[in-house]
Amino acid sequence: MCQLSKVQIYTPSKIIQLILEGFEDKVLKSEVLWDCLTCNQCLKDCPENINFADLARMARYKMRHTTNKNVEELIAHKGVYTTISEIMSRPYINPDRNLDWVPKDCPISDKGNLLYYVGCLPFFNYEHDKVDSIAISTLQILSKIEKEPIVVFKDEVCCGHDLYWGQGKLKTFIKLAKKNLEMFENAGVSTIVTACAECYRTLKIDYPEIFEDFSEKFEVKHIIEYIYEMWKEGEIEFISSSELSEEISFTYHDPCRLSRFLPKENNITEKVREIFKEFEKLNYKFNEMAHNKSNSLCCGVNSWMNCNEKSKALRYKRMLEAKDAGTVMVTSCPKCRIHLSCLQKDYENLASIEIVDFSEFLIKHIKIIDKNNKKEESE
Amino acid sequence: MPEAKNKAVKQDFEPDILVFCCNWCSYAGADLAGVSRFQYPPNMRIVRVMCSGRVDPSFVLKALKEGADGVLITGCHIGDCHYISGNEYAKERFEKLHRIIIKQLGINEKRVRLEWVSASEGRRFADLITEFTNEIRGLGPLKFY
Ligand code: SF4
Ligand code: SF4
Ligand code: SF4
């Protein structure tokens, strides 16, 4: 069932039917396709495999040119963040990012093998708290495990996700993609790690559709996958942090981009749960929310579009589920964290839930297995 | 954008500047500059807002995106705001905009400026515009291809 229909009248099947019956113009004119959350829930349930979210994206491209409606009104924060992305797409703009957040013990470079693609986090600092800590913990994890310095760009540009999905700005998206590709090539990277669900989906699925050999040249990994692999290869183990005395129950919010937007063989949702299972040994208790994995509820704001009372209701539903499931809510999308914790300012009863990013959650619990030591022991 | 191309090629580059003026002080200051016939360069366009606190950072960003070479926000002096603290709010937001967004975008910070101009400072308004225009002229166009 459509997620949006939980809070307003919205029937994707009816819209599809109208289009099939030849009323495409009417549908476009009615502007209903601006409302869709592009959460992909309906694709999962659709017997005919109709990708409604993608349809909404393409319709937005068309609607922008035909509509009289002021699209800007639909964008959250008066469009600050999407305008930033657009400015970055210009060929004459060379971002000069603040790298003060980089911890002293994490060597970084501008050329190398493994790139940490930070995403727009440094810009979110503008209004949202503690977003740096996601970048810090991700980089700390990476530098703990890797021997070489991690590549972090000072002039990294946006991946373009929000413009692509939110406003159907295909041309700007392609400009950004080209800029990114050029930077990846110049730096000679072969692996790209990101902690953002949206960047991940964009680099993994959308870029290869524009550049044929993208997936041959670069391997894109979400930090979950990266940690999972390292763990399976026996490079790291999970330890309990000394501060823990009593059992902590926690839950996981699946971002739509990781649970419904990836091909079937990509089982990130299972991998992350396997890691959490391991955490049960460390005095943690993992509980599922009522809606989980590919059924998980949306945070309500996609690509900074349509932040209104309806999307607030969606967030409220999600937070209630989280409250039932535990005291800590882990997520792996920085924006999910931003939107969900935004709600906590308005509702005291929800303020007790601690919302953390996957990397922030793990950083205290990762230990490198020292292979040399082991060898000596066995000898 | 052919116009922008010309802008860069042209030797004597004329910048496009957007000025936000608050209704109670700066706009009156601009008015005074006009009636007193103080000369200043014609490169700027004024947008009148009720208070400098009304200027959302997104306005500034959109102006830069749409081709402004410089943006100037003006308001009443601190303590003189018609709405008591609108300009303090503007200052706070502006500092964040500067430090977190403009700088990180790699745009020269001098292109975006916040200044206080009161209703009696017609002379100052004219001088400010002249100085700001010259500064932007020196920096060259924001857009170049
Ligand atoms: S993508 Fe989500 S919001 Fe849009 S129609 Fe499908 S279920 Fe509804
Ligand atoms: S913020 Fe998270 S849940 Fe919301 S649209 Fe983005 S990935 Fe999906
Ligand atoms: S939920 Fe909060 S942080 Fe997210 S778009 Fe809306 S106002 Fe902004």
Side-chain angles (χ1 to χ4, degrees), chain A residues 206-224:
Chain A
D206 296 326
Y207 279 14
E209 274 173 22
I210 309 177
F211 314 113
E212 267 172 18
D213 50 354
F214 190 88
S215 37
E216 285 154 35
K217 281 195 226 153
F218 311 106
E219 197 182 352
V220 183
K221 286 182 195 167
H222 193 275
I223 186 79
I224 296 175

Side-chain angles (χ1 to χ4, degrees), chain B residues 52-115:
Chain B
S52 52
R54 174 68 182 92
V55 182
D56 192 278
S58 70
F59 299 171
V60 177
L61 289 171
K62 280 175 193 161
L64 292 172
K65 189 189 99 189
E66 300 298 343
D69 298 299
V71 180
L72 182 64
I73 306 164
T74 55
C76 313
H77 286 272
I78 294 286
D80 290 348
C81 176
H82 190 77
Y83 307 99
I84 300 165
S85 60
N87 49 4
E88 285 165 25
Y89 181 58
K91 187 165 175 244
E92 196 183 306
R93 269 213 290 199
F94 178 82
E95 267 162 14
K96 266 189 172 171
L97 167 75
H98 233 198
R99 177 166 50 87
I100 298 178
I101 301 183
I102 300 294
K103 181 156 187 292
Q104 291 203 87
L105 276 174
I107 294 175
N108 193 322
E109 287 153 280
K110 288 187 187 140
R111 289 185 188 275
V112 183
R113 210 201 274 182
L114 176 69
E115 291 279 355

Side-chain angles (χ1 to χ4, degrees), chain A residues 328-346:
Chain A
V328 179
M329 182 196 215
V330 182
T331 177
S332 43
C333 167
K335 277 195 211 138
C336 289
R337 205 191 76 161
I338 288 175
H339 302 313
L340 290 170
S341 39
C342 176
L343 188 76
Q344 290 183 308
K345 289 179 204 146
D346 298 343

Side-chain angles (χ1 to χ4, degrees), chain A residues 198 253 255-257 298-299 301-302 333 335-336 339:
Chain A
E198 297 180 334
H253 166 77
C256 59
R257 261 53 186 167
C298 176
C299 68
V301 178
N302 179 295
C333 167
K335 277 195 211 138
C336 289
H339 302 313

Side-chain angles (χ1 to χ4, degrees), chain A residues 72 77-80 83-84 86-88 90-98 122-123 125-127 169, chain B residues 54 56-59 61-62 64-67 93 96-97 100-101 103-107 142-145:
Chain A
E72 305 275 325
H77 299 268
K78 303 212 172 60
V80 169
T83 313
I84 292 176
E86 271 182 76
I87 292 181
M88 278 197 259
R90 303 282 161 86
Y92 52 88
I93 290 291
N94 241 331
D96 175 24
R97 292 176 169 229
N98 183 349
F123 292 101
N125 260 333
Y126 169 59
E127 275 163 313
K169 293 203 165 158
Chain B
R54 174 68 182 92
D56 192 278
S58 70
F59 299 171
L61 289 171
K62 280 175 193 161
L64 292 172
K65 189 189 99 189
E66 300 298 343
R93 269 213 290 199
K96 266 189 172 171
L97 167 75
I100 298 178
I101 301 183
K103 181 156 187 292
Q104 291 203 87
L105 276 174
I107 294 175
L142 175 59
K143 254 186 198 161
F144 51 87
Y145 288 89

